[in-house]
Amino acid sequence: MAVVKEKMEVYKQKLDKILHEDGKLNEYLAVIERKTGVRRLYVVLGVAVILSLYLVIGYGAELLCNFIGFVYPAYVSVKAIESSNKEDDTKWLTYWVVFALFSVIEFFSDIFLSWFPFYWLVKCIFLVYCMAPVKENGAHMIYNRFIRPFILRSQKGIDATLDDIKDAAKSAVNKAADSAADIAARKMADNTKME
């Protein structure tokens, strides 16, 4: 128990240090701290506890979880696109690849997962872990350990399948266009005969 308490104290100190670094959010936290007299560390922990409880028992937990997992990453992705730095582009593309894979898996397993009482809290923690503003965040780890090796192993087969699908789609569109042209030509011919 003492080891856990020591670890928690270390994490609290790290978080407190981060909350005193320069940044817009920390400026707002400083104002809240001055006006309320409550340390910003406890303000952040209180908000985290309230969000956690809401994600477990609140109405609209799915919306809140998806909002958290989408809004900030979308904003910084736009900033990354507009910057000349390639590293931030790669970081956020990696996040979106992991997010997309997670969304597809979630789509097929949602019937089972929705019964799990802490699902939205766990999903939210997972998404925050994936977008954490550190070099080796969850998205980086999942991409490099699972997604990248799978894609590199299967790339030829995937590309061949995508080419087949593209050819089939092109053929279907051409057939539909030809059929539409034939039908239109017959209708025009029928209309001309009636006059």
Side-chain angles (χ1 to χ4, degrees):
M1 189 64 153
V3 175
V4 173
K5 198 170 190 179
E6 287 176 24
K7 287 237 187 233
M8 291 302 292
E9 194 58 40
V10 169
Y11 288 130
K12 275 177 47 180
Q13 288 172 358
K14 283 182 182 179
L15 179 59
D16 198 37
K17 183 180 176 187
I18 291 169
L19 295 175
H20 283 85
E21 292 175 356
D22 290 338
K24 227 23 167 177
L25 177 63
N26 290 343
E27 290 174 19
Y28 293 127
L29 289 171
V31 171
I32 292 169
E33 185 176 39
R34 273 194 308 275
K35 289 188 176 189
T36 63
V38 177
R39 285 181 50 198
R40 63 182 83 180
L41 173 68
Y42 297 123
V43 170
V44 169
L45 291 175
V47 169
V49 166
I50 291 169
L51 275 174
S52 296
L53 286 172
Y54 189 81
L55 286 167
V56 172
I57 60 172
Y59 180 75
E62 178 180 6
L63 175 65
L64 177 62
C65 179
N66 289 328
F67 185 82
I68 290 168
F70 182 78
V71 172
Y72 175 73
Y75 173 70
V76 292
S77 294
V78 170
K79 285 179 63 175
I81 291 167
E82 297 302 322
S83 77
S84 59
N85 184 0
K86 183 191 178 309
E87 283 183 32
D88 57 358
D89 296 354
T90 303
K91 176 183 178 178
W92 290 106
L93 277 171
T94 303
Y95 173 82
W96 290 114
V97 167
V98 171
F99 184 89
L101 176 65
F102 182 78
S103 296
V104 169
I105 292 169
E106 183 184 38
F107 176 80
F108 291 105
S109 60
D110 190 41
I111 288 175
F112 308 110
L113 294 175
S114 62
W115 289 94
F116 180 60
F118 299 102
Y119 176 69
W120 299 115
L121 174 62
V122 172
K123 178 182 175 183
C124 192
I125 290 169
F126 170 75
L127 292 175
V128 169
Y129 170 62
C130 285
M131 72 173 91
V134 294
K135 186 172 174 66
E136 303 287 326
N137 63 17
H140 182 269
M141 188 274 299
I142 291 168
Y143 177 78
N144 285 313
R145 283 199 185 160
F146 303 106
I147 298 171
R148 185 172 186 268
F150 173 77
I151 295 295
L152 292 177
R153 253 190 340 264
S154 310
Q155 190 169 1
K156 287 181 182 176
I158 294 169
D159 287 344
T161 302
L162 289 174
D163 287 341
D164 291 345
I165 292 170
K166 186 171 46 173
D167 292 343
K170 190 183 259 187
S171 174
V173 167
N174 288 339
K175 283 181 183 177
D178 290 345
S179 294
D182 288 344
I183 291 169
R186 275 190 256 133
K187 286 285 185 190
M188 288 177 68
D190 289 345
N191 287 343
T192 306
K193 286 180 187 176
M194 293 177 110
E195 292 176 357

